[in-house]
């Protein structure tokens, strides 16, 4: 049988110091000489003492947890590998600082009240929010809660660009899309269509703008644009619409890799060869892009790295990560790079 859990008093007696000294050491307090701190830490290890998280939070005013809020339903989050990659990066960075991840998803409008109450209730030290849509109340809820918050993706709400404390991590969506379409043009493609993502998200808007930049346009050709939703099913439907309207198109830039795989299905079903008849380029460079048939030309963004950077920025703002020489936390925009494979 296991014996009783070691107490703070037991550690103090073992180390030959006061209970207050042990409390300061285990709760990260200052004012303890190194020799005493080393003695206490040795006793903690030898006795197997585990600090009481509730008691520690009273001292430190920290919960040791961060809310990760994804503004998408469960079915979307667990079917899109993008979210798994981003969560992996976040989780690893938080774990390295002994901070827990609390995942919160949005199934419907009623969930906003629940999430708002939780964020304002002192249950977490900060928040990471991503996949936000236009007019999403999450930013104002984060502001009302007073919690330090880092966003995934370029903010698109009014006034965001004037907030000097706003932190976010994004990739160069516009530049990446420009690379994709310029590549198709260099390959001799002249009727290049686009399947957008949901245009209430800044990533989809920026990728559409990059497409227009590469073609020297200010507005898309109505015959060569179809709207998707960043899913394979949306890509299938949008590709069918494009072929019905413009059977002579010879290339398509898809808003993300899932959309591109859906487009490939429709092209196969219509008896069209990729890339001989229609070239296809996606965006993300998910692992599945290399498995597609044919392997997908796409734009690579470091999704896991972006999640890691989001968590790092938040931990720095909370004072839980080493920021020596790093300067004041600032928004981060990572580069995007074209990866050429067989589809385009």
């Amino acid at each position: 049988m296991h014996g009783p859990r070691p107490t703070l008093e037991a550690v103090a007696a073992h180390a030959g110091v006061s209970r207050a000294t042990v409390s300061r050491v285990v709760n990260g307090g200052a004012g303890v000489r190194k020799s005493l701190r080393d003695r206490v830490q040795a006793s903690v290890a030898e006795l197997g003492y585990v600090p009481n998280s509730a008691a520690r939070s009273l001292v430190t005013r920290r919960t040791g947890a961060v809310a990760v809020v994804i503004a998408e339903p469960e079915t979307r989050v667990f079917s899109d590998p993008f979210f798994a990659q981003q969560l992996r990066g976040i989780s690893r960075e938080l774990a390295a600082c002994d901070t827990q991840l609390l995942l919160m998803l949005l199934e419907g409008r009623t969930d906003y009240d629940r999430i708002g109450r939780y964020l304002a209730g002192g249950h977490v030290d900060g928040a990471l929010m991503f996949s936000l849509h236009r007019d999403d109340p999450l930013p104002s809820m984060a502001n009302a809660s007073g919690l330090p918050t880092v966003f995934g993706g370029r903010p698109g709400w009014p006034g965001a660009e004037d907030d000097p404390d706003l932190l976010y991590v994004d990739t160069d969506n516009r530049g990446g899309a420009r690379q994709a379409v310029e590549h198709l043009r260099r390959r001799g493609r002249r009727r290049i269509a686009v399947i957008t993502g949901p245009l209430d998200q800044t990533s989809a808007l920026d990728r559409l703008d990059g497409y227009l930049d590469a073609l020297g346009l200010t507005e898309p050709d109505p015959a060569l644009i179809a709207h998707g939703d960043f899913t394979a099913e949306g890509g299938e439907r949008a590709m069918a619409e494009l072929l019905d309207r413009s059977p002579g198109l010879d290339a398509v830039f898809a808003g993300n890799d899932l959309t591109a795989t859906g487009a490939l299905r429709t092209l196969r079903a219509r008896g069209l060869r990729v890339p001989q008849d229609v070239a296809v380029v996606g965006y993300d460079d998910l692992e599945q892009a290399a498995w597609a048939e044919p392997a997908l030309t796409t734009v690579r963004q470091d999704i896991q790295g972006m999640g890691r950077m989001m968590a790092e920025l938040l931990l720095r703002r909370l004072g839980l990560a080493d920021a020596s020489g790093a300067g004041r936390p600032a928004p981060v925009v990572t580069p995007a790079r074209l990866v050429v494979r067989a589809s385009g």
Side-chain angles (χ1 to χ4, degrees), residues 82-102:
F82 175 93
F83 295 110
Q85 287 288 320
Q86 195 144 30
L87 286 170
R88 184 178 299 168
I90 290 170
S91 176
R92 288 179 176 176
E93 192 68 18
L94 293 180
C97 287
D98 196 23
T99 301
Q100 306 306 309
L101 181 159
L102 179 83

Side-chain angles (χ1 to χ4, degrees), residues 39 67 136 141 155 210 318 340:
R39 195 191 312 168
D136 202 309
M141 289 163 56
L318 291 171
V340 179

Side-chain angles (χ1 to χ4, degrees), residues 179-229:
Q179 289 180 52
V181 180
E182 287 173 348
H183 166 77
L184 289 169
R185 294 191 71 188
R186 286 194 300 271
R187 292 290 175 96
R189 307 293 170 158
R190 292 294 174 262
R191 295 278 291 165
I192 304 172
V194 60
I195 302 175
T196 74
L199 294 179
D200 62 350
Q201 292 188 297
T202 56
S203 59
L205 283 169
D206 290 347
R207 291 174 198 179
L208 176 59
D209 285 340
Y211 164 87
L212 295 172
D213 290 345
L215 296 177
L217 300 174
T218 56
E219 295 290 337
D221 181 340
L224 292 174
I225 183 172
H227 299 294
D229 55 6

Side-chain angles (χ1 to χ4, degrees), residues 5-269:
R5 266 179 62 170
T7 62
L8 209 63
E9 290 78 9
V11 175
H14 189 275
V17 298
S18 69
R19 184 185 187 281
T21 296
V22 175
S23 178
R24 285 199 296 274
V25 171
V26 300
N27 290 311
V32 180
R33 295 196 312 273
K34 184 178 185 304
S35 59
L36 288 182
R37 185 177 298 276
D38 291 345
R39 195 191 312 168
V40 169
Q41 289 172 340
S43 294
V44 166
E46 186 172 337
L47 296 178
Y49 173 75
V50 178
N52 181 291
S53 59
R56 182 160 58 177
S57 68
L58 291 175
V59 176
T60 64
R61 299 186 182 275
R62 300 277 193 200
T63 67
V66 164
V68 177
V69 185
I70 306 178
E72 301 289 352
E74 178 183 302
T75 51
R76 173 83 198 284
V77 171
F78 292 116
S79 63
D80 188 337
F82 175 93
F83 295 110
Q85 287 288 320
Q86 195 144 30
L87 286 170
R88 184 178 299 168
I90 290 170
S91 176
R92 288 179 176 176
E93 192 68 18
L94 293 180
C97 287
D98 196 23
T99 301
Q100 306 306 309
L101 181 159
L102 179 83
L103 182 62
M104 309 187 81
L105 308 178
L106 281 156
E107 294 296 326
R109 301 297 299 182
T110 56
D111 287 324
Y112 283 107
D113 290 338
R114 171 180 60 85
I115 290 173
R117 288 195 305 271
Y118 196 89
L119 295 178
H123 304 291
V124 291
D125 299 324
L128 300 170
M129 296 182 173
F130 56 95
S131 204
L132 273 62
H133 298 256
R134 184 187 300 128
D135 300 328
D136 202 309
L138 284 171
S140 60
M141 289 163 56
N143 185 58
S145 73
L147 287 174
T149 303
V150 177
F151 297 93
R154 180 177 66 82
W157 55 90
E161 64 278 3
D162 299 322
D163 183 350
D165 294 322
L166 187 69
L167 289 179
Y168 68 89
V169 175
D170 202 0
T171 189
D172 181 10
N173 288 295
R174 188 166 186 161
R178 191 184 306 118
Q179 289 180 52
V181 180
E182 287 173 348
H183 166 77
L184 289 169
R185 294 191 71 188
R186 286 194 300 271
R187 292 290 175 96
R189 307 293 170 158
R190 292 294 174 262
R191 295 278 291 165
I192 304 172
V194 60
I195 302 175
T196 74
L199 294 179
D200 62 350
Q201 292 188 297
T202 56
S203 59
L205 283 169
D206 290 347
R207 291 174 198 179
L208 176 59
D209 285 340
Y211 164 87
L212 295 172
D213 290 345
L215 296 177
L217 300 174
T218 56
E219 295 290 337
D221 181 340
L224 292 174
I225 183 172
H227 299 294
D229 55 6
F230 283 157
T231 68
E233 295 75 18
E236 284 187 89
R237 290 191 298 269
M239 190 73 247
E241 290 174 24
L242 287 169
L243 292 172
D244 290 343
R245 287 202 306 264
S246 300
L249 66 85
D250 59 6
V252 61
F253 169 57
N256 72 349
D257 286 350
L258 286 182
T259 300
T261 59
L264 289 174
R265 289 180 204 163
T266 295
L267 290 166
R268 278 196 300 270

